[in-house]
Amino acid sequence: MRIVVTGGSGDLGGRVVRQISARGHEAVAASRRTGVNLATGDGLDCVLEGVDAVIHSASSQTKPQSVDVAGARRICEALRRIGSPAHVVSISIVGSDLIPYAYYRAKVDSERVLEEADVPATVLRATQFHSLAAFFGTAGRVGPLTFSIGNMRIQPVDIDWVAQRLTDHATGPAPSGYRRATDIAGPTAYSADQMAEILATHDGRKPPRVVRVPALLPVMRGFAKGGILPGPGAEIGGQSFEDWLRGQPTPMPRRFHSPT
Ligand SMILES: NC(=O)c1ccc[n+]([C@@H]2O[C@H](COP(=O)([O-])OP(=O)(O)OC[C@H]3O[C@@H](n4cnc5c(N)ncnc54)[C@H](OP(=O)(O)O)[C@@H]3O)[C@@H](O)[C@H]2O)c1
């Protein structure tokens, strides 16, 4: 199969590209650095010629309406224009419909674009990647303190497993229309205290004291009420956070993405 991966140079997309190649398919990374701009549509028609599936993993934290949402729309329009029946598989976030945060709203908008487009499409929602959970845990630390929104918990997931599941969907049978795949999450939900303890043990230092900030704003209430936790029907799998952390440098750097 020929599979185009938008955001194929990114943290998740790069892993998806490697997964596809390891399974003997042709992976084509599409992002600005390969001449494809989803915010303008430049380069799209050309890269989508002869494609069997598209994995939409490109994203912008600052311009999600242009890249995640309009990008999904442009992919569908381009496929229609070139008469391609290709399956579009897109990554979204567990609980994005429950938390009124602009980036999460864009993820829901991009799901809706695919639901309303006349193309075979699968949306897979995943929880936060381990690297993001570690970033929250390290970036929120100030001296001997760390902060938590109420009793918020997080159930992070192994990014390599997310890449595998996206590849499974893209290489498996395509639906006739729109499909929401079963949400995926890692094996354990952690409170801020547990996360602080695990990260401190990894770094070989004393855990910080967790200060609970009241969930005053709607976004904070969404997090505090467990909006980002998977529901009972979610598929659980991948490496645990602790196992992933064992492979990371000591002390854990404050970085958003995993090293590839
Ligand atoms: N991080 C998490 O915890 C998490 C959890 C669940 C789901 N997700 C989802 O996973 C996806 C990937 O996240 P990530 O952290 O891997 O992202 P990332 O590393 O920031 O990568 C973003 C990718 O998007 C591309 N891109 C940005 N603007 C573009 C544009 N205008 N046109 C074309 N490509 C563009 C970038 O490449 P260029 O710079 O070359 O354009 C890059 O390859 C996102 O949809 C995110 O919502 C993330």
Side-chain angles (χ1 to χ4, degrees):
M1 289 178 80
R2 180 171 200 267
I3 304 175
V4 165
V5 183
T6 74
S9 56
D11 202 10
L12 176 63
R15 288 168 163 85
V16 172
V17 164
R18 288 197 289 280
Q19 267 292 320
I20 294 169
S21 307
R23 296 188 198 189
H25 300 289
E26 183 193 356
V28 183
S31 73
R32 288 168 299 182
R33 75 193 71 173
T34 63
V36 177
N37 189 341
L38 288 175
T40 60
D42 288 350
L44 248 189
D45 283 26
C46 187
V47 81
L48 293 178
E49 264 317 322
V51 76
D52 297 296
V54 180
I55 297 182
H56 182 31
S57 158
S59 184
S60 167
Q61 286 282 336
T62 51
K63 294 185 178 157
Q65 287 293 339
S66 305
V67 177
D68 303 57
V69 186
R73 188 172 299 115
R74 289 195 173 97
I75 291 165
C76 296
E77 287 168 356
L79 290 173
R80 266 198 300 274
R81 216 164 29 240
I82 61 177
S84 166
H87 178 195
V88 181
V89 178
S90 185
I91 180 72
S92 189
I93 304 175
V94 167
S96 47
D97 49 341
L98 301 177
I99 300 178
Y101 167 46
Y103 181 70
Y104 282 16
R105 278 203 180 116
K107 300 310 291 185
V108 177
D109 291 347
S110 106
E111 292 180 3
R112 195 165 305 121
V113 164
L114 295 176
E115 194 173 356
E116 290 169 1
D118 194 16
V119 300
T122 299
V123 165
L124 175 67
R125 287 186 179 183
T127 55
Q128 291 62 44
F129 304 153
H130 291 327
S131 55
L132 185 59
F135 175 75
F136 288 154
T138 50
R141 213 175 69 235
V142 183
L145 304 178
T146 192
F147 297 86
S148 168
I149 304 171
N151 288 319
M152 174 185 169
R153 288 190 305 149
I154 188 165
Q155 189 164 338
V157 67
D158 172 6
I159 190 172
D160 286 299
W161 185 55
V162 178
Q164 280 174 31
R165 300 300 285 120
L166 284 171
T167 309
D168 293 342
H169 286 298
T171 55
S176 53
Y178 175 78
R179 160 176 78 187
R180 246 289 294 282
T182 304
D183 294 356
I184 62 173
T188 313
Y190 303 92
S191 65
D193 302 76
Q194 290 167 323
M195 192 50 87
E197 172 102 40
I198 293 167
L199 288 166
T201 305
H202 175 78
D203 291 356
R205 56 176 166 76
K206 202 168 155 245
R209 188 163 70 79
V210 177
V211 177
R212 288 187 165 69
V213 178
L216 298 174
L217 303 172
V219 175
M220 296 166 91
R221 278 198 288 280
F223 283 109
K225 280 201 261 173
I228 56 168
L229 294 175
E235 185 185 2
I236 304 298
Q239 193 180 38
S240 70
F241 180 75
E242 287 91 336
D243 285 345
W244 171 83
L245 193 61
R246 268 190 274 282
Q248 302 302 311
T250 308
M252 183 65 200
R254 294 183 188 211
R255 67 175 167 222
F256 193 78
H257 285 131
S258 295
T260 46

mmCIF file of all heavy atoms in Angstrom, residues 172-201:
data_model
loop_
_atom_site.group_PDB
_atom_site.id
_atom_site.type_symbol
_atom_site.label_atom_id
_atom_site.label_comp_id
_atom_site.label_asym_id
_atom_site.label_seq_id
_atom_site.Cartn_x
_atom_site.Cartn_y
_atom_site.Cartn_z
ATOM 1 N N GLY A 172 -5.726 -1.928 7.458
ATOM 2 C CA GLY A 172 -6.850 -2.870 7.571
ATOM 3 C C GLY A 172 -7.986 -2.451 6.649
ATOM 4 O O GLY A 172 -7.848 -1.509 5.870
ATOM 5 N N PRO A 173 -9.133 -3.161 6.767
ATOM 6 C CA PRO A 173 -10.263 -2.831 5.893
ATOM 7 C C PRO A 173 -10.801 -1.424 6.185
ATOM 8 O O PRO A 173 -10.940 -1.046 7.355
ATOM 9 C CB PRO A 173 -11.315 -3.893 6.245
ATOM 10 C CG PRO A 173 -10.724 -4.784 7.284
ATOM 11 C CD PRO A 173 -9.375 -4.280 7.672
ATOM 12 N N ALA A 174 -11.101 -0.681 5.134
ATOM 13 C CA ALA A 174 -11.634 0.675 5.310
ATOM 14 C C ALA A 174 -13.140 0.605 5.547
ATOM 15 O O ALA A 174 -13.807 -0.257 4.991
ATOM 16 C CB ALA A 174 -11.335 1.495 4.066
ATOM 17 N N PRO A 175 -13.676 1.510 6.347
ATOM 18 C CA PRO A 175 -15.136 1.541 6.520
ATOM 19 C C PRO A 175 -15.781 2.136 5.263
ATOM 20 O O PRO A 175 -15.097 2.756 4.449
ATOM 21 C CB PRO A 175 -15.310 2.479 7.721
ATOM 22 C CG PRO A 175 -14.121 3.379 7.679
ATOM 23 C CD PRO A 175 -12.992 2.586 7.081
ATOM 24 N N SER A 176 -17.109 1.969 5.137
ATOM 25 C CA SER A 176 -17.748 2.553 3.944
ATOM 26 C C SER A 176 -17.934 4.059 4.136
ATOM 27 O O SER A 176 -17.971 4.814 3.182
ATOM 28 C CB SER A 176 -19.079 1.862 3.659
ATOM 29 O OG SER A 176 -19.860 1.897 4.827
ATOM 30 N N GLY A 177 -18.037 4.501 5.368
ATOM 31 C CA GLY A 177 -18.178 5.944 5.632
ATOM 32 C C GLY A 177 -17.309 6.330 6.812
ATOM 33 O O GLY A 177 -16.148 5.948 6.876
ATOM 34 N N TYR A 178 -17.921 7.037 7.767
ATOM 35 C CA TYR A 178 -17.164 7.505 8.933
ATOM 36 C C TYR A 178 -17.204 6.463 10.056
ATOM 37 O O TYR A 178 -18.245 5.838 10.285
ATOM 38 C CB TYR A 178 -17.789 8.814 9.434
ATOM 39 C CG TYR A 178 -17.177 9.349 10.705
ATOM 40 C CD1 TYR A 178 -15.968 10.024 10.693
ATOM 41 C CD2 TYR A 178 -17.829 9.194 11.933
ATOM 42 C CE1 TYR A 178 -15.409 10.525 11.865
ATOM 43 C CE2 TYR A 178 -17.275 9.697 13.102
ATOM 44 C CZ TYR A 178 -16.068 10.355 13.065
ATOM 45 O OH TYR A 178 -15.519 10.848 14.217
ATOM 46 N N ARG A 179 -16.083 6.313 10.769
ATOM 47 C CA ARG A 179 -16.031 5.377 11.906
ATOM 48 C C ARG A 179 -15.209 6.004 13.024
ATOM 49 O O ARG A 179 -14.114 6.508 12.771
ATOM 50 C CB ARG A 179 -15.383 4.086 11.423
ATOM 51 C CG ARG A 179 -14.808 3.193 12.508
ATOM 52 C CD ARG A 179 -14.273 1.898 11.944
ATOM 53 N NE ARG A 179 -12.966 2.048 11.322
ATOM 54 C CZ ARG A 179 -12.333 1.098 10.628
ATOM 55 N NH1 ARG A 179 -12.918 -0.074 10.424
ATOM 56 N NH2 ARG A 179 -11.134 1.309 10.111
ATOM 57 N N ARG A 180 -15.741 5.967 14.251
ATOM 58 C CA ARG A 180 -14.926 6.336 15.427
ATOM 59 C C ARG A 180 -14.380 5.036 15.978
ATOM 60 O O ARG A 180 -15.122 4.164 16.405
ATOM 61 C CB ARG A 180 -15.830 6.937 16.503
ATOM 62 C CG ARG A 180 -15.683 8.402 16.882
ATOM 63 C CD ARG A 180 -14.503 8.892 17.638
ATOM 64 N NE ARG A 180 -14.320 8.442 19.001
ATOM 65 C CZ ARG A 180 -14.973 8.895 20.034
ATOM 66 N NH1 ARG A 180 -15.891 9.809 19.906
ATOM 67 N NH2 ARG A 180 -14.702 8.438 21.242
ATOM 68 N N ALA A 181 -13.055 4.885 15.932
ATOM 69 C CA ALA A 181 -12.442 3.662 16.452
ATOM 70 C C ALA A 181 -12.533 3.676 17.979
ATOM 71 O O ALA A 181 -12.755 4.724 18.590
ATOM 72 C CB ALA A 181 -10.989 3.599 16.006
ATOM 73 N N THR A 182 -12.317 2.513 18.582
ATOM 74 C CA THR A 182 -12.286 2.434 20.044
ATOM 75 C C THR A 182 -11.142 3.304 20.573
ATOM 76 O O THR A 182 -10.014 3.222 20.069
ATOM 77 C CB THR A 182 -12.046 0.962 20.468
ATOM 78 O OG1 THR A 182 -13.073 0.171 19.873
ATOM 79 C CG2 THR A 182 -12.082 0.791 21.972
ATOM 80 N N ASP A 183 -11.444 4.136 21.568
ATOM 81 C CA ASP A 183 -10.406 5.002 22.158
ATOM 82 C C ASP A 183 -9.279 4.139 22.735
ATOM 83 O O ASP A 183 -9.519 3.004 23.171
ATOM 84 C CB ASP A 183 -10.986 5.830 23.318
ATOM 85 C CG ASP A 183 -12.033 6.832 22.852
ATOM 86 O OD1 ASP A 183 -12.261 6.953 21.643
ATOM 87 O OD2 ASP A 183 -12.622 7.494 23.729
ATOM 88 N N ILE A 184 -8.075 4.695 22.775
ATOM 89 C CA ILE A 184 -6.954 3.937 23.350
ATOM 90 C C ILE A 184 -6.253 4.739 24.452
ATOM 91 O O ILE A 184 -6.191 5.972 24.409
ATOM 92 C CB ILE A 184 -5.950 3.449 22.284
ATOM 93 C CG1 ILE A 184 -5.301 4.612 21.532
ATOM 94 C CG2 ILE A 184 -6.627 2.524 21.302
ATOM 95 C CD1 ILE A 184 -4.180 4.136 20.589
ATOM 96 N N ALA A 185 -5.739 3.999 25.429
ATOM 97 C CA ALA A 185 -5.094 4.622 26.599
ATOM 98 C C ALA A 185 -4.060 3.666 27.163
ATOM 99 O O ALA A 185 -4.103 2.460 26.914
ATOM 100 C CB ALA A 185 -6.147 4.920 27.667
ATOM 101 N N GLY A 186 -3.153 4.225 27.950
ATOM 102 C CA GLY A 186 -2.158 3.403 28.625
ATOM 103 C C GLY A 186 -2.755 2.688 29.821
ATOM 104 O O GLY A 186 -3.923 2.896 30.171
ATOM 105 N N PRO A 187 -1.948 1.824 30.488
ATOM 106 C CA PRO A 187 -2.499 0.943 31.515
ATOM 107 C C PRO A 187 -2.901 1.601 32.840
ATOM 108 O O PRO A 187 -3.724 1.042 33.546
ATOM 109 C CB PRO A 187 -1.373 -0.069 31.768
ATOM 110 C CG PRO A 187 -0.229 0.303 30.909
ATOM 111 C CD PRO A 187 -0.560 1.526 30.125
ATOM 112 N N THR A 188 -2.359 2.768 33.184
ATOM 113 C CA THR A 188 -2.577 3.285 34.545
ATOM 114 C C THR A 188 -2.919 4.770 34.562
ATOM 115 O O THR A 188 -2.300 5.554 33.829
ATOM 116 C CB THR A 188 -1.282 3.079 35.384
ATOM 117 O OG1 THR A 188 -0.824 1.746 35.190
ATOM 118 C CG2 THR A 188 -1.511 3.319 36.859
ATOM 119 N N ALA A 189 -3.876 5.127 35.448
ATOM 120 C CA ALA A 189 -4.179 6.554 35.681
ATOM 121 C C ALA A 189 -3.406 7.010 36.917
ATOM 122 O O ALA A 189 -3.365 6.295 37.925
ATOM 123 C CB ALA A 189 -5.674 6.742 35.893
ATOM 124 N N TYR A 190 -2.783 8.168 36.835
ATOM 125 C CA TYR A 190 -1.943 8.670 37.927
ATOM 126 C C TYR A 190 -2.489 9.990 38.463
ATOM 127 O O TYR A 190 -2.857 10.882 37.676
ATOM 128 C CB TYR A 190 -0.513 8.927 37.437
ATOM 129 C CG TYR A 190 0.152 7.719 36.820
ATOM 130 C CD1 TYR A 190 0.083 7.484 35.452
ATOM 131 C CD2 TYR A 190 0.847 6.803 37.612
ATOM 132 C CE1 TYR A 190 0.693 6.380 34.884
ATOM 133 C CE2 TYR A 190 1.462 5.689 37.046
ATOM 134 C CZ TYR A 190 1.374 5.486 35.687
ATOM 135 O OH TYR A 190 1.972 4.383 35.123
ATOM 136 N N SER A 191 -2.478 10.126 39.786
ATOM 137 C CA SER A 191 -2.770 11.426 40.401
ATOM 138 C C SER A 191 -1.496 12.265 40.314
ATOM 139 O O SER A 191 -0.402 11.731 40.014
ATOM 140 C CB SER A 191 -3.154 11.228 41.868
ATOM 141 O OG SER A 191 -2.021 10.721 42.563
ATOM 142 N N ALA A 192 -1.608 13.548 40.640
ATOM 143 C CA ALA A 192 -0.425 14.426 40.622
ATOM 144 C C ALA A 192 0.604 13.939 41.647
ATOM 145 O O ALA A 192 1.811 14.009 41.405
ATOM 146 C CB ALA A 192 -0.839 15.855 40.919
ATOM 147 N N ASP A 193 0.128 13.425 42.800
ATOM 148 C CA ASP A 193 1.066 12.931 43.832
ATOM 149 C C ASP A 193 1.849 11.728 43.297
ATOM 150 O O ASP A 193 3.064 11.636 43.493
ATOM 151 C CB ASP A 193 0.301 12.494 45.091
ATOM 152 C CG ASP A 193 -0.526 13.622 45.654
ATOM 153 O OD1 ASP A 193 -1.586 13.916 45.058
ATOM 154 O OD2 ASP A 193 -0.111 14.219 46.648
ATOM 155 N N GLN A 194 1.129 10.812 42.642
ATOM 156 C CA GLN A 194 1.815 9.613 42.111
ATOM 157 C C GLN A 194 2.816 10.008 41.032
ATOM 158 O O GLN A 194 3.946 9.516 40.997
ATOM 159 C CB GLN A 194 0.783 8.627 41.549
ATOM 160 C CG GLN A 194 -0.055 7.976 42.631
ATOM 161 C CD GLN A 194 -1.268 7.249 42.049
ATOM 162 O OE1 GLN A 194 -1.896 7.693 41.094
ATOM 163 N NE2 GLN A 194 -1.590 6.114 42.637
ATOM 164 N N MET A 195 2.397 10.915 40.157
ATOM 165 C CA MET A 195 3.295 11.349 39.070
ATOM 166 C C MET A 195 4.534 12.039 39.659
ATOM 167 O O MET A 195 5.663 11.791 39.219
ATOM 168 C CB MET A 195 2.501 12.300 38.168
ATOM 169 C CG MET A 195 3.106 12.642 36.856
ATOM 170 S SD MET A 195 3.672 11.261 35.866
ATOM 171 C CE MET A 195 2.242 10.766 34.962
ATOM 172 N N ALA A 196 4.323 12.885 40.675
ATOM 173 C CA ALA A 196 5.449 13.601 41.298
ATOM 174 C C ALA A 196 6.424 12.607 41.928
ATOM 175 O O ALA A 196 7.647 12.744 41.803
ATOM 176 C CB ALA A 196 4.914 14.566 42.358
ATOM 177 N N GLU A 197 5.877 11.582 42.558
ATOM 178 C CA GLU A 197 6.698 10.559 43.224
ATOM 179 C C GLU A 197 7.511 9.756 42.189
ATOM 180 O O GLU A 197 8.713 9.533 42.353
ATOM 181 C CB GLU A 197 5.746 9.625 44.000
ATOM 182 C CG GLU A 197 6.389 8.418 44.597
ATOM 183 C CD GLU A 197 6.621 8.574 46.084
ATOM 184 O OE1 GLU A 197 5.733 9.122 46.756
ATOM 185 O OE2 GLU A 197 7.698 8.143 46.546
ATOM 186 N N ILE A 198 6.849 9.340 41.129
ATOM 187 C CA ILE A 198 7.525 8.526 40.097
ATOM 188 C C ILE A 198 8.653 9.328 39.441
ATOM 189 O O ILE A 198 9.775 8.830 39.253
ATOM 190 C CB ILE A 198 6.503 8.055 39.026
ATOM 191 C CG1 ILE A 198 5.512 7.067 39.633
ATOM 192 C CG2 ILE A 198 7.198 7.427 37.821
ATOM 193 C CD1 ILE A 198 4.289 6.796 38.763
ATOM 194 N N LEU A 199 8.372 10.602 39.125
ATOM 195 C CA LEU A 199 9.394 11.429 38.465
ATOM 196 C C LEU A 199 10.551 11.722 39.419
ATOM 197 O O LEU A 199 11.719 11.723 39.009
ATOM 198 C CB LEU A 199 8.775 12.739 37.961
ATOM 199 C CG LEU A 199 7.849 12.576 36.738
ATOM 200 C CD1 LEU A 199 7.013 13.838 36.510
ATOM 201 C CD2 LEU A 199 8.663 12.266 35.476
ATOM 202 N N ALA A 200 10.238 11.929 40.706
ATOM 203 C CA ALA A 200 11.298 12.206 41.689
ATOM 204 C C ALA A 200 12.176 10.978 41.877
ATOM 205 O O ALA A 200 13.413 11.079 41.947
ATOM 206 C CB ALA A 200 10.674 12.629 43.013
ATOM 207 N N THR A 201 11.569 9.796 41.925
ATOM 208 C CA THR A 201 12.344 8.559 42.070
ATOM 209 C C THR A 201 13.273 8.391 40.865
ATOM 210 O O THR A 201 14.448 8.045 41.009
ATOM 211 C CB THR A 201 11.391 7.335 42.182
ATOM 212 O OG1 THR A 201 10.501 7.585 43.261
ATOM 213 C CG2 THR A 201 12.136 6.042 42.416
#
